[in-house]
């Protein structure tokens, strides 16, 4: 498809504009921090503007089709082309990545963690943005792989340089673990390429021909991709990198990791693994569902055992992604829609939770739950925001989280044809029990940290007064869009569903919808 | 024979603006909530004006809708099905399933709307005085208003998802309100306990909704064009003969589990008494008249599902009636050993909810709904009365034994409204409880569940007894403690500080509630004894007591059919209707039911017992027990017996302090010869007591309470602790040791492998040379062998 | 012909050379041993070349001699440098590895 239609530059610009900003920033002296930050934020804002333009120009009636397609020759020796496009599934995540990056940059204005060097920090964020956006628009497996791997390095450095005490271990673990998964994924991609006749790496081509691969081969190829994506999601039992990565990462790293990077894995399932290998997907689905519900309960149990706030939120991510994966494993349109919605909702909500945790760390210099108490007394607005996010995270109807959880549970009652109904109904009940546990750990956290009286260590007049202040204006600017989005999507979920539904329908054609 | 066409003329039903736009009713308090959050603190009355005005507006709209609904019903004959006013807008579309948000207004909705709006308004007005000066006054009104918005939304909900939204919103507000004074750990623990217990029940809500949706969706889409979430659709589907009994039973049981949690039925009732930690207006609004009836409302709303799923009128006992019956007795017995007046009322609420559930389980739909209606008034009045006592007499204490007594002299209005409400609660003619509670018991017996009828009568006996005890301790006898004017006046110089440890009277022995925190309100405690509360408190009491007295006449079968108004207006008619819900005259050959009745002698609609032909049914045909005065007399006799017995016991125990009774729990050696005369008198009485009263009141109820606190609640707490311990163990051993160990192990293995191979890199040239030659030799050998 | 004897001679010289490379510590001796190896190969080549009656072996042997000469030149230069830096020509003293 050599379509040089109008607007086929939009996605390329939106993805690579941050790199332009990086280029400019390389010439700014390290000491001039304000200018670095300004250029970075300006670039991010410009990228967001391009994103808004994309949003406006998107044809919502044809959300199932690929739009803004660009297809140019790239590495013709291995039959890989620069093939990008955007449809209803990619759009929310693509846009979300731009929003989150900008908000994180605003938040970092006076929050650059030790050892400083704002220029390098912001450059890394811009590179991350390119990697994230690129993954969501790639329509060629090699291109996808490049962007998928691109996000690893900046995150490695963010954790390794700007992180907490145990950062070396955490960043290395994150990098190696994900890379291990990606290696298997690459093998799977190559196998896919060769078994479909070594013609092309482009995803539409593979979707057409993937179904003809022998079933056993499909299962093995799926296994490779499964490991690669499952590490990223993270699914039980490949999740152990996440708590360490989150605990040691700086706030900005945690937010980006939770909000977007985790979605690369689930997106990979939805975009690549399932449409290209439908027979394997049917075979794997019960196992994916099993690991998903184990993740839900296991994540919740893990949360209850935590003494560190950020680690608790990290485990809650495992639990939430369990709901997303359960929805995906049902291979129904209902479930996939729920999963996609859940991805965005989780991004917004857990992103906010990590922001709050970061602010708590900045004020109290500790995240140990034992030592925190009475936040509502000393910082009422921050306490309210934490309460709001806790309610959203446990799936209160009226806030975005509910529409990721309940439809996923609902869809498990009637999975796609060919899947064992009883097994999935058991999963449904287990997932419903998980909602109680979710309420448990979130409200327990809230009760411990926000209710009650401030501990003696941090009570007024004990030397911490300058640090302990309520939400400041940068935090408000960074957080308000997320808070509003959580309410808006909670009250009117149709906004996102009307974009997702047609695209999900197209993706699931092989399963009879 | 005149054979009319089967398609008779459609009946025209009157409608009106209030009915068509009833969906606005929940929106008004929701808007008020937003206004209070953003502007409340700056307003002269600190935001309460938004709350009160919104509730009054909702009340006006509800009353308008009620009036128009009554016109609608009166405009058609008694057998015609009155179609509810249903309006929807698309909320969410997914995979061809379109979910709407909208309203489903019928008699049931209107009844509850009026109740909720009315009591919310009164409680909000009451709270302006009760919580005057509270540290989080504005937030209180915000939460209270949001709660009302949630409940009103649930009541008008057109489908299950919207109902779940309202349901969960109420749970959230309950959590916020119970833990209103969260500075004290006990309050926030009670709030969490309430949220968790109801959330556990909500598993059933999610599972049940899902099961019913998938089972019903095909049929509802095909026949009615609505989704399997729609309440109208589910009701018709349940009675259509389409559902497999497994699906509908599983769905009904799952939903009922949610009702058990929300409406405080055994065994998920333990949160309700603890919820008394919240301010009294919260207890009177949420935990007696409105939120806790949400479970009852759900059963009543989706009654066809429960009717079919639980096999009401079947030969054997069903789950609903069993739970209801058990709850009645367990809660009533526990009410005997409470010293906290709010806990007595809380257990009483649990018990009355048991009545409602038992009624629904036995097919007594209308009496149960009517009991929701009347119970709301007298229970709210009782709670507000308790609040009045605490506010103006007992210094924020709710302990009957320590700080009350003889208050009837000081608080005549509170006393008289309390007595009226107590009589209503006990079901004394002509107060409202008689017409609702006794109808439940009557219908339970009429439906064939004789055992449960006896349970209901026994419950009435207990109710009368424990309420008499509570009344006696509070209003009669000699004033004790704070009621006697002993309060720690010295400490009242300060206010608005967080620690209250210098108040001294911390020894309530149970969870703290508004006792301490309300102290940062009025501190005009210049030494005075108990006195009557101000108008803002007493006027709501009087209004509610008047309704407790009079609301019974809304549906009084005792006086004949003409007085059964609620039945006419609220009970859905069990008629076969066309798919659009417009009534078709039933019966053969197009005649009306009255005509068919005359001909056949009796006519029961097929709804609920047979598959409807040529249309759908929205409600099952229920039985109604005919009123008999002797039955009323019997129940009244039981009630009076309970009262008298209890009165006598109280007099003996509390006023006369009979040492035979007092000595059961404490060995009191302060006996003197002067008491022997009294002792002699009492030998007669103790004989009587030992046989009946003592064996009920002391060992059994104490045992039951012990069981409740240590076994049931112990299981709840144990579940929490063991989950935490499991979590810790799993985390430490499985995650950190096993799984992460494998990961780290991979790293160590790689390291060790590296270490093992390290000696190869020794730096010794000779060694390198040796390796080189060795490898070459082996290679040569291999070559030779291959080529041989 | 005396093929076997020549081959035997070549093998013996080769083994002596290998032994020298592996065991000897003195760098100069190692170089000498390497020369031995190379020349043993030369003998081998010449023997076969004579037997086959072609000059390929001779040519190859000449190449080897040239290369050996170059290699010795470089090798001895390195030994000289080593001596200047470490004041010894023992190969063990060269290693900075810890294992």
């Amino acid at each position: 498809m050599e379509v040089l239609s109008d607007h086929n530059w939009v996605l390329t610009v939106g993805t690579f504009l941050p790199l332009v900003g990086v280029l400019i920033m390389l010439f700014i002296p390290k000491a001039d921090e304000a200018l670095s930050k300004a250029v970075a934020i300006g670039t991010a804002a410009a990228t967001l503007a391009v994103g808004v333009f994309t949003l406006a120009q998107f044809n919502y009636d044809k959300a199932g089709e690929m739009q803004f397609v660009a297809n140019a020759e790239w590495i013709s020796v291995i039959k890989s082309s620069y093939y990008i496009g955007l449809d209803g599934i990619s759009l929310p995540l693509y846009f979300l990545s731009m929003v989150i990056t900008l908000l994180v940059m605003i938040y970092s204005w006076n929050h650059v963690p030790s050892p400083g060097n704002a220029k390098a920090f912001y450059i890394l964020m811009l590179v991350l943005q390119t990697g994230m956006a690129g993954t969501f628009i790639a329509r060629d497996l090699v291109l996808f792989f490049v962007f998928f791997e691109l996000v690893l390095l900046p995150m490695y450095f963010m954790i390794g340089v700007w992180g907490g005490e145990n950062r070396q271990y955490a960043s290395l673990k994150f990098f190696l673990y994900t890379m291990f998964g990606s290696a298997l994924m690459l093998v799977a991609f190559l196998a896919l390429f060769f078994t479909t006749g070594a013609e092309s790496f482009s995803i539409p081509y593979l979707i057409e021909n993937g179904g003809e691969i022998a079933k056993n081969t499909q299962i093995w190829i799926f296994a490779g991709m499964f490991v690669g994506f499952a590490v990223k999601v993270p699914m039980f039992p490949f999740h152990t990198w996440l708590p360490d990565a989150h605990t040691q990462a700086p706030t900005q790293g945690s937010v980006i990791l939770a909000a977007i990077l985790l979605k690369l894995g689930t997106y990979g399932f939805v975009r690549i693994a399932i449409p290209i290998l439908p027979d394997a997907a049917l075979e794997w689905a019960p196992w994916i569902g099993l690991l998903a519900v184990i993740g839900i309960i296991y994540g919740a149990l893990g949360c209850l055992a935590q003494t560190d706030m950020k680690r608790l939120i990290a485990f809650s991510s495992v639990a939430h992604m369990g709901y997303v994966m359960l929805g995906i494993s049902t291979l129904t349109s209902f479930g996939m829609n729920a999963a996609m919605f859940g991805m965005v909702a989780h991004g917004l909500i857990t992103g906010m939770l990590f922001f709050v945790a970061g602010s708590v760390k900045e004020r109290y210099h500790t995240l140990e739950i034992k030592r925190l108490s009475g936040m509502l007394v000393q910082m009422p607005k921050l306490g309210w925001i934490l309460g709001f996010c806790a309610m959203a995270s446990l799936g209160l109807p009226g806030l975005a989280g509910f529409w990721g959880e309940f439809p996923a549970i609902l869809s498990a009652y009637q999975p796609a044809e060919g899947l064992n109904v009883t097994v999935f109904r058991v999963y449904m009940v287990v997932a419903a029990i998980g909602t109680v546990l979710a309420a448990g750990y979130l409200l327990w956290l809230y009760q411990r940290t926000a209710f009650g009286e401030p501990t003696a260590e941090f009570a007024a007049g004990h030397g911490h007064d300058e640090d302990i202040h309520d939400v400041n204006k940068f935090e408000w600017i960074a957080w308000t869009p997320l808070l509003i989005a959580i309410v808006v999507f909670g009250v009117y979920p149709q906004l996102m569903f009307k974009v997702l539904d047609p695209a999900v329908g197209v993706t699931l054609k092989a399963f009879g919808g | 024979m005149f054979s009319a066409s089967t398609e008779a003329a459609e009946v025209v039903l009157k409608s009106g603006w209030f009915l068509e736009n009833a969906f606005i009713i929940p929106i008004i308090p929701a808007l008020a909530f937003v206004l209070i959050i953003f502007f409340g603190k700056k307003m002269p009355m600190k935001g309460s004006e938004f709350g009160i005005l919104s509730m009054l507006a909702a009340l006006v709209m509800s009353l308008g809708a009620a009036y128009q609904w009554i016109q609608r019903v009166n405009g058609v004959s008694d057998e015609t099905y009155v179609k509810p006013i249903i309006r929807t807008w698309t909320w969410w579309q997914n995979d061809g399933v379109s979910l709407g948000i909208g309203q489903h207004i019928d008699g049931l909705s209107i009844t509850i709307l009026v109740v909720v709006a009315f009591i919310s308004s009164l409680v909000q007005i009451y709270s302006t005085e009760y919580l005057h000066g509270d540290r989080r006054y504005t937030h209180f009104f915000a939460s209270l208003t949001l709660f009302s918005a949630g409940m009103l939304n649930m009541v008008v909900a057109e489908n299950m998802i919207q109902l779940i939204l309202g349901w969960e919103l109420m749970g959230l507000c309950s959590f916020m309100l119970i833990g209103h004074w969260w500075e004290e750990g006990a309050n926030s623990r009670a709030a969490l306990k309430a949220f968790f217990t109801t959330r556990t029940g909500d598993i059933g809500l999610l599972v049940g909704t899902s099961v019913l949706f998938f089972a019903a969706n095909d049929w509802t889409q095909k026949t009615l064009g609505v989704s399997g979430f729609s309440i109208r659709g589910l009701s018709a589907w349940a009675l259509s003969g389409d559902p497999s009994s497994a699906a509908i039973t599983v769905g009904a049981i799952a939903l009922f589990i949610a009702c058990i949690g929300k409406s405080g039925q055994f065994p998920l009732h333990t949160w309700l008494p603890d919820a008394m930690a919240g301010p009294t207006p919260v207890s009177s609004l949420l935990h007696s008249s409105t939120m806790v009836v949400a479970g009852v409302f759900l059963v009543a709303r989706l009654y066809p599902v429960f009717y079919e799923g639980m096999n009401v009128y079947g030969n054997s006992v069903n789950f609903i009636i069993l739970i209801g019956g058990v709850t009645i007795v367990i809660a009533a017995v526990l009410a005997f050993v409470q010293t906290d007046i709010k806990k007595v009322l809380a257990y009483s609420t649990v018990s009355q909810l048991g009545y409602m559930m038992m009624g629904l389980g036995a097919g007594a739909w209308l009496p149960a709904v009517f009991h929701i209606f009347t119970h709301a008034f007298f229970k709210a009045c009782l709670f507000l009365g308790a609040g009045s006592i605490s506010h103006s007499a007992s210094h924020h204490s709710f302990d009957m034994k320590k700080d009350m007594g003889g208050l009837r002299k000081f608080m005549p209005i509170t006393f008289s409204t309390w007595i009226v409400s107590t009589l209503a609660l006990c079901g004394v003619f002509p107060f409202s409880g008689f017409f609702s509670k006794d109808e439940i018991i009557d219908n339970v017996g009429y439906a064939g569940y004789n055992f449960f009828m006896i349970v209901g009568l026994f419950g009435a006996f207990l109710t009368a007894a424990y309420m008499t005890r509570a009344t006696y301790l509070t209003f009669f006898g000699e004033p004790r403690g704070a009621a006697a004017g002993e309060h720690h006046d010295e400490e009242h110089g300060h206010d608005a500080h967080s620690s209250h440890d210098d108040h001294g009277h911390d020894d309530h022995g149970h969870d703290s509630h508004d006792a301490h925190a309300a102290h940062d309100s009025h501190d005009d405690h210049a030494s005075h004894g108990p006195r009557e509360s101000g108008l803002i408190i007493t006027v709501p009491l009087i209004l509610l007591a008047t309704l407790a007295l009079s609301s019974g006449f809304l549906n009084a079968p005792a006086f004949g059919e003409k007085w059964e108004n609620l039945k006419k207006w609220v009970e859905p008619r069990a008629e076969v209707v066309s798919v659009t819900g417009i009534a078709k005259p039933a019966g053969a050959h197009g005649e009306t039911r009255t005509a068919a009745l005359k001909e056949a002698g009796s006519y029961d609609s097929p709804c609920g017992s047979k598959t409807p032909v040529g249309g759908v049914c929205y409600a099952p045909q229920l039985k109604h027990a005919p009123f008999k005065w002797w039955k009323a007399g019997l129940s009244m006799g039981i009630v009076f017996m309970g009262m008298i017995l209890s009165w006598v016991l109280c007099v003996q125990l509390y006023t006369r302090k009979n040492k035979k009774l007092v000595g059961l729990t404490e060995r009191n050696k302060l006996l003197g010869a002067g008491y022997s005369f009294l002792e002699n008198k009492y030998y007669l009485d103790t004989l009587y007591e030992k046989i009946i009263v003592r064996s009920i009141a002391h060992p059994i109820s104490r045992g039951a309470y012990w069981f409740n606190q240590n076994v049931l609640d112990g299981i709840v707490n144990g579940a929490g602790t063991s989950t935490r311990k499991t979590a810790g163990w799993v985390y430490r051993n499985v995650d950190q040791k096993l799984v992460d160990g494998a990961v780290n192990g991979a790293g160590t293995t790689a390291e060790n492998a590296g270490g093992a191979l390290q000696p190869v890199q020794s730096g010794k040239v000779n060694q390198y040379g040796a390796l080189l030659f060795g490898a070459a030799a082996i290679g040569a050998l291999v070559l030779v062998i291959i080529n041989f | 012909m005396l093929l076997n004897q020549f081959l035997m001679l070549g093998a013996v010289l080769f083994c002596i050379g290998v032994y020298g490379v592996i065991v000897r510590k003195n760098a100069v001796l190692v170089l000498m041993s390497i020369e031995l190896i190379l020349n043993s190969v030369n003998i081998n080549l010449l023997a076969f070349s004579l037997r086959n009656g072609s000059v390929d072996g001779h040519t190859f042997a000449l190449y080897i001699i040239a290369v050996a000469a170059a290699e010795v030149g470089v090798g001895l230069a390195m030994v000289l440098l080593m001596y200047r830096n470490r004041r010894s020509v023992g190969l063990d003293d060269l290693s900075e590895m810890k294992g």
Side-chain angles (χ1 to χ4, degrees), chain B residues 358-439:
Chain B
M358 190 172 80
L360 286 171
W365 189 93
L366 185 70
V369 171
F370 192 39
H371 199 52
I372 298 179
F373 188 71
T374 56
H375 173 264
F377 298 128
F378 54 71
K379 197 43 80 58
C381 183
L382 286 169
F383 266 108
L384 292 183
S388 163
I389 295 172
S390 122
H391 185 79
S392 315
S394 66
H395 266 279
H396 313 294
S397 160
F398 289 100
D399 190 320
M400 295 186 290
K401 282 196 176 162
K402 289 212 180 103
D403 289 310
M404 298 190 193
L407 289 176
R408 73 182 184 286
K409 300 187 272 259
F410 305 105
M411 312 182 74
I413 302 181
T414 307
F415 174 64
S416 39
T417 55
W418 176 279
I419 292 293
V420 168
S421 302
T422 304
L423 290 173
L425 172 58
C426 295
V428 174
F429 180 87
F431 296 89
S432 58
F434 171 76
F435 294 104
S436 57
K437 191 165 81 168
D438 283 38
E439 280 300 307

Side-chain angles (χ1 to χ4, degrees), chain B residues 758-759 761-770 773, chain C residues 14 18 21-24 30 37 91-92 95 97 99:
Chain B
Q758 197 183 32
Q761 308 280 344
S762 65
K764 296 197 169 65
V765 180
N766 301 78
Q767 192 185 307
Y768 292 158
F773 285 113
Chain C
F14 184 83
V18 168
V21 167
I22 292 180
V23 170
R24 285 294 175 199
V30 168
I37 294 173
L91 284 175
D92 285 342
S95 167
M97 302 280 264

